[in-house]
Amino acid sequence: DTAVSQTPKYLVTQMGNDKSIKCEQNLGHDTMYWYKQDSKKFLKIMFSYNNKELIINETVPNRFSPKSPDKAHLNLHINSLELGDSAVYFCASSLGTNEPYEQYFGPGTRLTVT
Amino acid sequence: LAKTTQPISMDSYEGQEVNITCSHNNIATNDYITWYQQFPSQGPRFIIQGYKTKVTNEVASLFIPADRKSSTLSLPRVSLSDTAVYYCLVGAYGGSQGNLIFGKGTKLSVKP
């Protein structure tokens, strides 16, 4: 029983295309996140959603848009893909943000833009 | 959020105790210290969290001195499967501060 799942695991696409990555958590958590891990292995937060409301946007380009249809899902849509978008994208979730709750990460989606 | 500094890499042998120290000189009063572990091609996994003194769970111990300007993750009797990157994070919680800031991490290599 996977706690946080992401699809697809691998995504290869060309510059200029639009793509989406899906994330689902079955933990009943209130907060979900998207992180980007680049080739140097730096892991940076992109967005977080708490009860379907965006509470963090770390100056990510507006080509990236998180969409949360419900509390259990946080999808990441990327428009006009660029070479620099190539990275591993991780989804995560936590009970909330008012306590130091641990975050549960998904397996990651490796995006390659050619 | 406080910046953290930890060694880029460490080597150890199976069965040894490994201590990874993290410096966070600018830690704030309401900051917690959290450690995550990441295996290749996987997402980070929570290991342990503390605020002060010592915390122990089934996986590791976390030692935090009184001034809280550093912390040490202790892994007892490591095995080959403990080879991973270990991240030290410092941050507060509440409202919009639920985000985690990951540093460069410490790459631990356990040898037979």
Side-chain angles (χ1 to χ4, degrees), chain A residues 7 14 24 29 31 34 42-43 60 63 85 87 99:
Chain A
T7 54
Q14 292 183 331
E24 177 181 1
H29 287 171
T31 307
W34 276 107
F42 292 128
L43 195 61
V60 173
R63 297 183 295 104
D85 297 332
E99 298 291 335

Side-chain angles (χ1 to χ4, degrees), chain A residues 12-19 63 78-82 113:
Chain A
V12 181
T13 187
Q14 292 183 331
M15 289 176 55
N17 285 347
D18 302 337
K19 291 294 179 184
R63 297 183 295 104
I78 315 170
N79 290 326
S80 304
L81 278 156
E82 300 177 357
V113 182

Side-chain angles (χ1 to χ4, degrees), chain B residues 1-105:
Chain B
L1 293 171
K3 180 181 177 180
T4 60
T5 303
Q6 50 184 125
I8 294 175
S9 64
M10 292 183 68
D11 291 333
S12 180
Y13 291 94
E14 282 190 293
Q16 288 187 331
E17 178 184 76
V18 171
N19 295 310
I20 306 175
T21 298
C22 178
S23 297
H24 28 79
N25 292 321
N26 297 322
I27 190 169
T29 303
N30 56 346
D31 283 345
Y32 282 79
I33 300 159
T34 310
W35 286 81
Y36 279 77
Q37 173 192 57
Q38 186 177 25
F39 296 114
S41 302
Q42 294 186 26
R45 184 173 71 107
F46 174 91
I47 301 176
I48 198 166
Q49 183 178 77
Y51 183 79
K52 61 179 179 181
T53 62
K54 176 184 174 182
V55 179
T56 298
N57 62 22
E58 66 278 6
V59 177
S61 295
L62 179 59
F63 298 91
I64 305 169
D67 65 6
R68 304 199 328 123
K69 292 184 183 299
S70 67
S71 59
T72 299
L73 174 71
S74 180
L75 305 172
R77 298 180 298 281
V78 294
S79 63
L80 295 176
S81 62
D82 292 317
T83 294
V85 177
Y86 292 82
Y87 294 96
C88 166
L89 297 89
V90 172
Y93 294 84
S96 63
Q97 293 181 317
N99 55 313
L100 298 178
I101 304 297
F102 285 79
K104 298 180 181 180

